[in-house]
């Protein structure tokens, strides 16, 4: 997630604003401290224009 975000020159705060969240939440997601919710997955992948979690295991709920 961090790689896709930084390649597009989007800050954690910008991403958080676009998905209706907080910068600290984005930080925790990027550092693997908390798994994303299915709703967050959809929003983040839409904003970044790429599939990050959904394709990896075919189960967006596992967050890994």
């Amino acid at each position: 997630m961090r790689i896709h975000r930084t390649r597009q020159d989007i800050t954690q705060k910008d991403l958080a604003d676009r998905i209706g969240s907080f910068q600290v939440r984005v930080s925790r997601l990027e550092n693997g401290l908390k798994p994303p919710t299915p709703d967050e997955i959809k929003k983040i992948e839409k904003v970044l224009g790429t599939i990050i979690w959904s394709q990896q295991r075919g189960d967006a709920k596992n967050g890994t």
Side-chain angles (χ1 to χ4, degrees):
M1 179 175 136
R2 178 179 290 128
I3 292 168
H4 294 290
R5 178 181 60 75
T6 56
R7 282 184 181 165
Q8 295 181 40
D9 199 29
I10 299 172
T11 66
Q12 286 183 345
K13 174 83 169 91
D14 290 337
L15 180 58
D17 290 344
R18 292 182 192 187
I19 66 168
S21 189
F22 299 96
Q23 179 274 326
V24 69
R25 176 67 177 150
V26 172
S27 176
R28 288 177 179 155
L29 293 171
E30 286 186 351
N31 289 303
L33 299 175
K34 298 285 182 175
T37 66
D39 188 50
E40 287 173 326
I41 289 170
K42 289 178 193 174
K43 289 177 180 179
I44 292 167
E45 289 180 343
K46 183 176 181 180
V47 168
L48 297 181
T50 190
I51 295 171
I52 299 171
W53 298 278
S54 301
Q55 184 180 36
Q56 289 180 354
R57 299 187 191 227
D59 179 7
K61 289 187 266 184
N62 71 12
T64 59

